[in-house]
């Protein structure tokens, strides 16, 4: 039981990190920022996320092969939304929510019942963490005004 809880918690953290890590831009591309944030290679992030999800859900090689392109597509779509400076924060959040929902709907049929249950818990925990992080970010913005 403890192992399952630890496994679920680990996957939730991993999913959140892999999906919610902000994408940085270079200082040359963003003159308002004086320092560029270090940027992790996207391929490494994606591979790390896929490996962790595969381990947490105990995916078969066949499941891994089917899920990989789905997660890659999600990763690209979320990156594109984050980089779209024409969207408001609320529009970005709404689009990212929709992208994640689409991804889950594509992945669920590939998983067993037990894996689906774990997947849903992982995603729910990730949503809670993103909401908490968003609330903290909003508080900081409000205090800065």
């Amino acid at each position: 039981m403890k192992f399952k809880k630890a496994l679920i918690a680990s996957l939730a953290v991993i999913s959140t990190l892999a999906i919610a890590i902000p994408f940085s831009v270079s200082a040359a591309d963003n003159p308002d920022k004086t320092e560029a944030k270090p940027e992790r290679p996207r391929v490494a992030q994606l591979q790390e996320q896929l490996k962790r999800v595969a381990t947490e859900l105990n995916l078969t090689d066949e499941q891994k092969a089917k899920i990989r392109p789905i997660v890659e597509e999600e990763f690209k779509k979320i990156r594109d939304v984050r980089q779209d400076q024409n969207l408001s924060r609320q529009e970005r959040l709404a689009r990212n929510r929709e992208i994640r929902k689409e991804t889950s709907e594509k992945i669920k049929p590939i998983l067993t019942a037990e894996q689906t249950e774990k997947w849903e818990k992982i995603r729910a925990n990730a949503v809670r963490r993103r909401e908490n992080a968003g609330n903290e970010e909003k508080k900081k913005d409000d205090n800065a005004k």
Side-chain angles (χ1 to χ4, degrees):
M1 189 65 166
K2 287 183 181 180
F3 176 75
K4 284 185 180 180
K5 286 182 180 179
L7 184 66
I8 291 170
S10 297
L11 186 54
V13 169
I14 293 165
S15 295
T16 301
L17 289 175
I19 295 171
I21 292 176
F23 295 90
S24 60
V25 294
S26 70
D29 293 337
N30 193 350
D32 295 334
K33 306 259 179 175
T34 56
E35 254 180 68
K37 294 180 181 177
E39 188 172 327
R40 283 182 57 199
R42 302 297 176 242
V43 175
Q45 285 180 328
L46 181 60
Q47 288 174 344
E48 189 175 304
Q49 176 192 11
L50 289 169
K51 184 178 177 181
R52 289 179 180 152
V53 168
T55 301
E56 298 290 331
L57 296 179
N58 196 26
L59 297 177
T60 66
D61 289 340
E62 183 180 345
Q63 287 173 313
K64 291 176 196 175
K66 289 179 181 179
I67 289 174
R68 182 179 187 86
I70 297 169
V71 174
E72 287 174 345
E73 179 184 2
E74 176 189 48
F75 200 78
K76 289 175 186 174
K77 286 180 178 181
I78 287 176
R79 180 196 61 212
D80 292 344
V81 168
R82 286 190 177 132
Q83 292 176 347
D84 187 346
Q85 297 300 311
N86 296 320
L87 298 175
S88 70
R89 182 176 184 276
Q90 291 302 319
E91 290 170 324
R92 282 190 192 107
L93 292 173
R95 288 198 184 170
N96 284 339
R97 233 180 267 120
E98 185 60 33
I99 291 166
R100 288 184 186 98
K101 181 179 176 185
E102 290 171 6
T103 298
S104 284
E105 294 306 315
K106 290 176 184 177
I107 288 177
K108 285 179 186 178
I110 299 168
L111 303 175
T112 66
E114 182 180 332
Q115 289 169 326
T116 300
E117 185 179 326
K118 288 179 185 178
W119 175 255
E120 289 174 349
K121 287 178 182 178
I122 290 165
R123 286 294 205 171
N125 288 335
V127 167
R128 280 193 295 277
R129 274 192 303 284
R130 279 192 300 274
E131 287 173 352
N132 290 338
N135 290 338
E136 290 299 319
E137 184 178 315
K138 186 176 179 182
K139 286 179 187 176
K140 288 179 185 176
D141 289 345
D142 291 344
N143 291 337
K145 290 181 181 179

